Amino acid sequence: MSAITIGIAGGSGSGKTTLTRHLKEHFASNVTVIGHDSYYRRQEGKTYEERALQNYDHPDAFETDLLVRHLQTLREGQSIQCPVYSYVDHNRTDRTVEIFPTKVLIVEGILIFQDPALRDLFDIKIFVETDADERILRRALRDVEERGRTLRSVVTQYLTTVKPMHEQYVEPSRKYADIIVLEGGHNLVALEMIMQRIQSHIEKT
C-alpha cells in the first residue's frame, strides 16, 4: 500500500482538529489520524502539581523520534502501538492503541513542522492559520469544558508558555507549509481542494 502522509500544523486552537475531523469523516476507513500530543513524554516521579507547570509547547516536551519511527513503520505497511496521553493527569498513560496503516496518514500537532526528520516524512504540509484572539478563546473553552482545567490555569499557561512558544517555534514553522489554510475546517474552499487531492491519491492506489 502506498500511503500519502499529510501533516496538519498550526497554533493551539487554530482549527487543526476541525479540519482533520472533516477529512476523517469524509474518507472514513481510508484515513488514519495520529496526534503529536499522544507522544508527550512520560513524566516519571513528578507530582500532579509539578506536571501541571511543565512547558507542553516546547519541542522537548515530545518524544518526536518515536513518532518518526512509528510513521515509517506505518508507511511500510505495518501496525504500531500508539501511546495514549491523559490531558487530565498531564501524563502519558500505560495504555497504547494499535493503529493500522491506511492509504492516508494524517499527523496533527502544533510543532510537527519544527522537527526536520518528521517534516521530511510529509507529502503534503498544511498550516492552519487563525487570529490569535480567536485561538485563545477556542483553547480556553476546550480546556475548561473537555480537559477539566480552570480558566485561571488556562490563562496562566497561555501567557507563560503557549504564547511565547507559538512565537518562537510554531509561527516560524509556517514557512515549511505547502498550503496555508485560513480558519481551519471552516474554510470550505481549501477543504474541497485538499479532499480532491486525497481522493486522487486514493483512486490511484
Side-chain angles (χ1 to χ4, degrees), residues 70-188:
H70 278 180
L71 264 186
Q72 292 169 334
T73 299
L74 286 168
R75 285 161 64 102
E76 292 167 0
Q78 303 174 50
S79 67
I80 63 166
Q81 293 294 329
C82 181
V84 175
Y85 183 78
S86 169
Y87 293 103
V88 175
D89 295 328
H90 297 286
N91 210 355
R92 188 188 294 186
T93 70
D94 293 327
R95 297 187 296 115
T96 60
V97 174
E98 187 168 15
I99 293 180
F100 296 90
T102 53
K103 293 182 178 180
V104 182
L105 303 174
I106 296 178
V107 180
E108 174 199 335
I110 62 172
L111 292 171
I112 58 173
F113 297 162
Q114 192 272 333
D115 183 276
L118 178 58
R119 185 171 68 237
D120 289 346
L121 291 176
F122 298 128
D123 300 301
I124 301 175
K125 295 181 287 293
I126 301 169
F127 190 94
V128 180
E129 192 165 86
T130 301
D131 180 77
D133 290 341
E134 189 168 347
R135 283 192 284 106
I136 178 56
L137 290 173
R138 287 179 182 174
R139 181 186 176 104
L141 286 172
R142 179 199 67 193
D143 284 2
V144 171
E145 293 176 358
E146 300 176 18
R147 300 179 179 177
R149 309 283 169 77
T150 64
L151 183 57
R152 181 179 294 275
S153 72
V154 173
V155 172
T156 299
Q157 186 179 38
Y158 180 80
L159 293 175
T160 57
T161 60
V162 177
K163 186 175 185 290
M165 293 300 98
H166 178 88
E167 294 170 351
Q168 184 173 353
Y169 294 108
V170 181
E171 182 62 29
S173 75
R174 178 185 188 275
K175 65 185 178 184
Y176 298 112
D178 303 305
I179 304 169
I180 305 293
V181 176
L182 302 179
E183 303 302 324
H186 301 293
N187 187 330
L188 299 182

